[in-house]
Amino acid sequence: MAVILPTCKIQTTHPAYDVFLLDKRFAILRSLVLMEIKQILTHHKPDAIFASDDLTAILIMKVARELDIQIPQDLKVIGYDGTQFIETYTPELTTIQQPLEDIAILMVDLLLQKIEGKKVATTGYFLPVSLHSGKSV
């Protein structure tokens, strides 16, 4: 059984006030995420997990190691982002790499078109991704 693990995002509106709340929420959120990962690994015993981002994938691998679950023998983990940070500091993680530079170029181009008053499509943009083969699969 494979599991796709979603992540939560926190949006702030008042930077001066929300910085404190964001830190507090992150600590609570991180604890909840760790508990959820632990519950999934112990109760559902998945063969593989595709995380919605690399940091969640790293947390999954951390919890799996604490539970003596062998990666990739017992559990395969794939992340999603593939940033340079992950490639440098966690090369063992298999991840889907987004074309960040292409995304940035496209966003700037669309923004400039919008500023010029041109009509811009909001859907239908497809950019290639690639697989960074680590040792977690």
Side-chain angles (χ1 to χ4, degrees), residues 8-130:
C8 300
K9 298 192 187 237
I10 298 173
Q11 295 180 351
T12 61
T13 53
H14 286 356
Y17 178 66
D18 285 340
V19 169
F20 174 75
L21 288 180
L22 183 61
D23 289 344
K24 210 173 196 182
R25 288 181 195 162
F26 179 75
I28 294 168
L29 181 62
R30 185 174 185 276
S31 296
L32 291 174
V33 169
L34 288 172
M35 287 177 10
E36 181 70 19
I37 292 169
K38 192 172 188 175
Q39 188 214 12
I40 288 169
L41 293 177
T42 56
H43 292 96
H44 298 285
K45 300 184 187 327
D47 300 313
I49 297 179
F50 183 91
S52 59
D53 63 85
D54 289 341
L55 295 178
T56 301
I58 291 169
L59 282 176
I60 292 165
M61 292 169 61
K62 177 185 181 300
V63 173
R65 284 187 200 106
E66 290 170 2
L67 296 171
D68 292 323
I69 297 171
Q70 301 298 310
I71 297 172
Q73 295 83 355
D74 302 326
L75 176 68
K76 292 162 181 28
V77 180
I78 300 176
Y80 186 85
D81 283 332
T83 62
Q84 185 67 37
F85 175 83
I86 297 302
E87 200 171 305
T88 302
Y89 295 101
T90 316
E92 67 271 16
L93 175 64
T94 298
T95 184
I96 306 296
Q97 290 181 306
Q98 298 185 73
L100 297 178
E101 186 175 334
D102 294 341
I103 292 169
I105 290 169
L106 176 62
M107 292 298 107
V108 168
D109 183 50
L110 293 174
L111 179 61
L112 291 174
Q113 289 180 44
K114 194 112 172 129
I115 290 170
E116 293 170 358
K118 296 178 183 175
K119 188 170 182 162
V120 177
T122 57
T123 61
Y125 300 98
F126 299 94
L127 298 172
V129 296
S130 60

